[in-house]
Amino acid sequence: MPSLNSWWWRFLENYVYAVPEPPPRKRTKPMEVLCVGLPRSATESLQTALLKLGYDHTYHGWDIVYETPNYSSKWVRLCRKKWFGSLDGNSTITKEEFDEILGHSVAVTDAAASVFAAELIAAYPDAKVVLNYRKDLDAWHESAVKTLVSVNENWALYILSCLGKVPFWGWHVYERFMWPGLFRALDGNIETGIARNGKWVYKEHCNMIRGLVPKEKLLEWNAEDGWEPLCKFLEKAVPEEPFPHVNKASGWENHEAEVTKRYLKSALSGVAVVSAVGIATGAIVYKTMW
């Protein structure tokens, strides 16, 4: 496969699957909380909890897929700057660049927060940092393989990504940039990348966060801890309701089904174009032969 920084991918991005530039967002409230743990570490539960505590909006990886207008192309641009930066070594992603996508958010978790953890910490030095983690590394690894890899093996989603612009960018940002980059899948194979590298990447990521953030601004938290340590760290009152536990295996499957449905609708126009071209070509061939 050609390098993601090659002319081929830029041709596809800029011409074949070109989309209108989404309007840059403007920050009206400061970024307050960065939840930088890896995916499958209670990220959606954290989003639900933070929204309950008043952190509206809390940006999650599913926002990258669902939000309209869609900002996947901007995330790809930041991914390329991170991993294919200028040859002078200056690949700094500025607060202004993040604000163009996250300007409406006061907290962030899941994909963007983990992939760009170091950059976000540098861009928003006043934000508190939560390192959400799983106590059982083997359980996390099994969960990551079953969910993140399942999307990469979903042929329906892959085919739809070839037929429609919105599906292309959703697949492009996650399956070609974010997950291979995060899990050091140098050959672009997410399945073997997560299987081989997932555990040491997890440990290395946690150690990186501990080295970047002063102890007084860092909370190491897992879902079993519930409300108390999180609320104490954020200086919020503890809600009376139980801590939310969402997006287990069934929740992921529901999301995947919803994404497939959305992408199918978006790709119908692409299918129509392909069909029209096929019919026209067939008609020309028929007329020429007969």
Side-chain angles (χ1 to χ4, degrees):
M1 184 175 68
S3 164
L4 287 170
N5 204 37
S6 69
W7 68 269
W8 169 249
W9 290 112
R10 291 180 183 273
F11 171 74
L12 292 180
E13 293 167 9
N14 296 329
Y15 296 98
V16 179
Y17 297 103
V19 291
E21 183 80 3
R25 288 171 170 144
K26 295 183 179 180
R27 181 158 299 284
T28 56
K29 294 184 288 185
M31 180 68 78
E32 297 184 61
V33 186
L34 306 173
C35 303
V36 295
L38 293 188
R40 310 309 299 163
S41 299
T43 60
E44 197 165 358
S45 296
L46 255 181
Q47 182 199 35
T48 304
L50 290 173
L51 288 170
K52 176 66 179 178
L53 294 175
Y55 294 98
D56 191 7
H57 180 59
T58 296
Y59 195 91
H60 188 275
W62 290 115
D63 287 84
I64 296 176
V65 176
Y66 290 145
E67 65 181 347
T68 303
N70 193 268
Y71 286 75
S72 293
S73 59
K74 282 186 175 287
W75 282 119
V76 166
R77 192 175 302 162
L78 295 189
C79 286
R80 186 169 273 125
K81 186 173 185 180
K82 177 181 175 74
W83 289 305
F84 300 97
S86 61
L87 295 180
D88 63 5
N90 182 18
S91 58
T92 300
I93 300 174
T94 66
K95 173 184 177 296
E96 289 71 27
E97 288 175 300
F98 280 125
D99 280 349
E100 286 190 5
I101 309 174
L102 298 172
H104 65 313
S105 303
V106 294
V108 58
T109 184
D110 196 58
S114 54
V115 170
F116 295 99
E119 292 83 1
L120 286 166
I121 290 168
Y124 302 107
D126 295 328
K128 293 186 176 182
V129 179
V130 177
L131 176 55
N132 43 302
Y133 71 98
R134 295 272 289 269
K135 289 183 177 180
D136 188 334
L137 183 59
D138 290 331
W140 170 83
H141 186 254
E142 181 181 355
S143 175
V145 169
K146 285 184 177 179
T147 54
L148 302 182
V149 171
S150 72
V151 176
N152 190 252
E153 295 177 339
N154 189 322
W155 277 94
L157 284 177
Y158 174 72
I159 292 171
L160 290 173
S161 77
C162 298
L163 297 175
K165 293 181 178 181
V166 172
F168 168 83
W169 284 102
W171 184 276
H172 200 45
V173 68
Y174 272 123
E175 307 305 313
R176 296 194 182 101
F177 278 95
M178 282 191 170
W179 296 154
L182 182 62
F183 292 106
R184 317 300 198 272
L186 300 184
D187 59 357
N189 188 324
I190 298 173
E191 180 178 4
T192 56
I194 294 177
R196 290 172 177 161
N197 306 332
K199 291 183 180 181
W200 70 258
V201 167
Y202 196 101
K203 295 175 184 177
E204 186 179 79
H205 182 83
C206 291
N207 287 333
M208 177 189 71
I209 300 303
R210 295 181 185 116
L212 288 173
V213 184
K215 288 185 177 181
E216 64 273 13
K217 294 187 67 175
L218 176 65
L219 172 68
E220 296 193 30
W221 175 94
N222 70 84
E224 296 172 14
D225 294 334
W227 286 116
E228 283 74 14
L230 182 65
C231 291
K232 181 179 179 181
F233 179 66
L234 299 176
E235 301 179 70
K236 298 284 187 178
V238 177
E240 295 182 2
E241 64 191 66
F243 188 85
H245 293 280
V246 296
N247 196 12
K248 295 186 178 181
S250 59
W252 179 275
E253 292 169 2
N254 292 338
H255 275 303
E256 196 169 328
E258 176 62 24
V259 170
T260 302
K261 187 189 305 181
R262 287 175 178 239
Y263 283 2
L264 178 60
K265 183 178 180 181
S266 174
L268 284 177
S269 58
V271 173
V273 170
V274 171
S275 300
V277 171
I279 292 171
T281 303
I284 293 171
V285 171
Y286 179 84
K287 185 174 180 62
T288 302
M289 292 180 64
W290 299 98

